[in-house]
């Protein structure tokens, strides 16, 4: 047992270091040379990795989160690089599966209900106001679903889950780090800090996307830090802990109130799903509550930090006078009333408004409804909303069942169960569930899922949650 544990720890640390070095290399290439030259320089490395990944396909999937930092680079036909990478990874996984590596996808309730969500989007496209635009979004849904499915295929055991978890932590940390390379010249343009100019965004198009990325990364990295510490993986604990700190810094720096709400929701869910994290999270919540209480009691002064002013604006601000989100939400309700069953089609909120369907003129330039439920309802109707609710329910059920799962069998077939034997599966599942909960929390005030990078991160967590549920199901079947 000691020898096996030592080998596993060494392998996990080596994988983490390799991912870190690879991510830093991508970071340097992505920021110091043109994207085209960077991709050309990395092509031989990627080919070599592909050949190796045929024998262990999880390595190919691990490249997706690691390369997210350059994921917004455009390919021909306006295809983001990250989606092209997913298609290449899927091809590698198929080849590996034909050669006997990986496992059969089998039955996965979460993957099945997500497939229904994609099917609902396709149905909405048929009656939408702009089928060509909707089809582009449908392709993005299909690629995301493919990513989630291949994650289930390549995660044969807990070492594969750990490898993907480390990749996700570092990929998210590098995305967050892009916003920390310079100190922005913030300009508070309203008395209550509800409007601030020059907020950092990193590689993202706008600060709220950075905020949601940081919220998801924080929730997942905290979970993996707890797992690594309980399993006495010193290197992995340090790496995931560093990722948590970077994500926290980016979350505060983004000044995204929606992301702050999302991260709070996600961390509460993490405490529910992963009992080992409760002491840490309760301590953090106590400090945060005391700090917030002091801010509320003491009126803000001239030298009050911008982040504190921004936080107070959630509770007592007058609101941004240039904020069109109320109008965008009202427009979404109008579109839902006019297209109740199938909606206007995926991704066509703005097109529907600009084609004269808008009753709220202030919303004509808005890209979406700034609310997850209203955005899906306007674009995919009652059918899309029903499937979204079903998907949320199935995901919550799987996450709860994973959190109560006993220890898993060791890879050598030994049926002995130890207190930390199932911690990897429970921790990855809890972290993924918490990250997805942060998306829902953020979705109450915004809808940043238009970003290809943010959407890919969400699909990564869906795939990890499905893989953990499948691992639990396989274990239960073997035990009977």
């Amino acid at each position: 047992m000691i020898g096996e544990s030592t080998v596993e720890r060494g392998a996990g640390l080596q994988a983490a270091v390799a991912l870190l070095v690879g991510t830093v290399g991508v970071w340097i290439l992505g920021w110091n040379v043109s994207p085209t030259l960077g991709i050309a320089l990395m092509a031989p490395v990627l080919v070599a990795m592909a050949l190796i990944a045929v024998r262990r396909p999880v390595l190919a999937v691990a490249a997706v989160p690691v390369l997210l930092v350059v994921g917004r680079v455009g390919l021909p036909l306006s295809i983001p690089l990250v989606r092209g990478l997913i298609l290449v990874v899927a091809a590698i996984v198929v080849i590996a599966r034909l050669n006997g590596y990986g496992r059969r996808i089998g039955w996965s309730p979460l993957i099945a209900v997500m497939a229904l969500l994609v099917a609902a989007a396709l149905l909405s496209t048929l009656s939408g106001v702009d089928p060509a635009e909707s089809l582009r979004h449908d392709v993005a849904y299909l690629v995301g679903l493919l990513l989630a499915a291949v994650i289930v295929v390549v995660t044969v055991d807990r070492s594969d889950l750990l490898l993907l978890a480390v990749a996700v932590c570092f990929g998210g940390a590098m995305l967050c780090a892009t916003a920390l390379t310079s100190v922005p010249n913030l300009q508070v343009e309203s008395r209550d800090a509800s409007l601030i100019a020059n907020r950092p965004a990193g590689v993202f198009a706008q600060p709220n996307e950075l905020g949601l990325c940081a919220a998801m990364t924080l929730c997942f990295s905290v979970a993996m830090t707890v797992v690594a510490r309980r399993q006495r993986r010193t290197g992995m604990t340090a790496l995931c802990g560093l990722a948590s700190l970077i994500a926290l810094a980016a979350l505060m720096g983004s000044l995204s109130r929606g992301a702050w709400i999302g991260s709070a929701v996600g961390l509460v869910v993490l405490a529910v799903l992963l009992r080992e994290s409760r002491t840490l999270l309760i301590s953090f919540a106590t400090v945060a509550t005391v700090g917030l209480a002091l801010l509320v009691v003491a009126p803000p002064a001239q030298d009050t930090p911008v982040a504190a002013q921004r936080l107070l604006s959630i509770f007592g601000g007058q609101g941004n006078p240039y904020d069109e989100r109320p109008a965008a939400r009202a427009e979404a309700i109008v579109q839902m009333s006019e297209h109740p069953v199938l909606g206007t089609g995926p991704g066509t909120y703005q097109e529907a408004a600009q084609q004269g369907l808008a009753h709220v003129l202030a919303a004509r330039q808005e890209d979406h409804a700034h609310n997850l439920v209203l955005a899906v309802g306007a674009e995919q109707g009652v059918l899309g909303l029903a499937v979204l609710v079903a998907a949320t329910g199935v995901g919550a059920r799987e996450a709860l069942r994973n959190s109560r799962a006993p220890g898993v069998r060791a890879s050598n077939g030994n049926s002995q169960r130890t207190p930390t034997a199932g911690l990897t599966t429970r921790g990855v599942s809890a972290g993924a569930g918490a990250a997805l909960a942060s998306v829902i929390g953020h979705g109450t005030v915004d809808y940043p899922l238009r970003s290809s990078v943010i959407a890919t991160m969400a699909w990564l967590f869906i795939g990890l949650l499905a893989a953990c549920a499948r691992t639990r199901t396989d274990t239960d079947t073997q035990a009977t």
Side-chain angles (χ1 to χ4, degrees), residues 25 63 71 106 108 158 169 172 176 279 329 332 436 456 459 461-462 473:
S108 171
R158 61 184 181 181
C169 287
C176 294
T279 301
R329 292 164 186 155
L436 293 171
T456 300
W459 283 108
F461 291 122
I462 291 170
T473 303

Side-chain angles (χ1 to χ4, degrees), residues 285-295:
T286 301
V287 173
T289 302
V290 172
L292 179 59
L294 292 176
L295 285 176

Side-chain angles (χ1 to χ4, degrees), residues 254-446:
S254 71
L255 298 176
S256 172
R257 293 171 293 185
W260 294 348
I261 294 171
S263 61
V265 172
L267 292 176
V268 169
V269 170
L270 178 61
V272 172
L273 296 177
L274 187 62
R275 58 181 178 271
E276 290 84 356
S277 68
R278 291 171 189 170
T279 301
L280 173 64
L281 294 178
I282 289 174
S283 302
F284 177 78
T286 301
V287 173
T289 302
V290 172
L292 179 59
L294 292 176
L295 285 176
V296 172
V297 172
Q302 292 291 335
D303 57 347
T304 301
V306 175
Q309 297 181 50
R310 183 75 168 172
L311 181 61
L312 289 176
S313 70
I314 298 177
F315 304 97
Q318 299 298 316
N320 177 1
Y322 304 104
D323 191 357
E324 302 294 349
R325 281 180 285 190
R329 292 164 186 155
E331 171 60 25
I333 294 174
V334 172
Q335 292 186 16
M336 289 173 64
S337 66
E338 293 184 345
H339 300 80
V341 180
L342 295 178
T344 61
T348 60
Y349 174 89
Q350 189 177 67
E351 285 75 12
Q354 291 180 345
Q355 287 180 15
L357 298 178
H359 290 68
V360 184
L361 296 180
R364 292 201 172 199
Q365 301 304 316
E366 295 297 309
D367 184 53
H368 49 73
H370 293 279
N371 180 277
L372 176 61
V373 172
L374 292 179
V376 174
E379 296 179 359
Q380 296 181 230
V382 174
L383 177 62
L385 274 178
V387 181
L388 176 64
V389 171
T392 303
V394 170
R397 186 195 67 175
E398 296 298 317
L400 286 171
R401 294 181 68 183
N402 292 343
S403 69
R404 296 192 295 264
V408 298
R409 290 178 182 271
S411 58
N412 61 2
N414 186 357
S415 61
Q416 182 179 1
R417 302 175 188 275
T418 62
T420 60
L423 183 57
T424 295
T425 302
R426 290 192 296 109
V428 173
S429 174
L436 293 171
S438 72
V439 176
I440 296 175
H442 190 117
T444 59
V445 295
D446 205 356

Side-chain angles (χ1 to χ4, degrees), residues 177-194:
T178 62
L180 305 178
T181 55
S182 61
V183 179
N185 181 24
L186 299 176
Q187 298 179 5
V188 180
E189 299 185 355
S190 61
R191 186 175 59 183
D192 61 355
S194 60

Side-chain angles (χ1 to χ4, degrees), residues 57-58 61 102-103 148-162 164 463-464 466-468 470-471 474:
V58 69
V61 180
R103 66 174 173 182
V150 298
I151 289 175
V152 176
V153 172
V154 302
T155 48
V156 177
D157 53 34
R158 61 184 181 181
S159 65
D160 293 332
L161 280 175
L162 277 178
L164 281 182
L464 286 172
C468 291
R470 174 69 194 283
T471 300
D474 288 349

Side-chain angles (χ1 to χ4, degrees), residues 100-230:
Y101 299 101
R103 66 174 173 182
R104 296 177 59 186
I105 189 170
W107 168 248
S108 171
L110 185 55
I111 297 297
V113 74
M114 295 309 299
L116 287 178
L117 185 62
V118 175
L122 291 170
L123 286 175
S124 297
T125 300
L126 298 177
S127 61
V129 299
D130 189 347
E133 177 66 18
S134 293
L135 187 60
R136 186 172 69 85
H137 288 266
D138 292 339
V139 171
Y141 287 151
L142 288 168
V143 172
L145 179 63
L146 182 62
L147 173 61
V150 298
I151 289 175
V152 176
V153 172
V154 302
T155 48
V156 177
D157 53 34
R158 61 184 181 181
S159 65
D160 293 332
L161 280 175
L162 277 178
L163 179 61
L164 281 182
V166 171
V168 170
C169 287
F170 280 109
M174 288 298 103
L175 286 169
C176 294
T178 62
L180 305 178
T181 55
S182 61
V183 179
N185 181 24
L186 299 176
Q187 298 179 5
V188 180
E189 299 185 355
S190 61
R191 186 175 59 183
D192 61 355
S194 60
L195 179 60
I196 299 177
N198 299 328
R199 290 160 55 194
V203 297
F204 295 99
Q206 46 109 344
N208 289 331
E209 294 178 0
L210 168 67
L212 181 54
C213 169
M216 288 191 287
T217 302
L218 175 64
C219 293
F220 190 76
S221 296
V222 167
M224 295 316 303
T225 302
V226 171
V227 169
R229 184 175 179 276
R230 294 279 297 201

Side-chain angles (χ1 to χ4, degrees), residues 58-69:
V58 69
L59 295 174
V61 180
V64 175
V66 170
L67 295 175
L68 279 177
V69 71

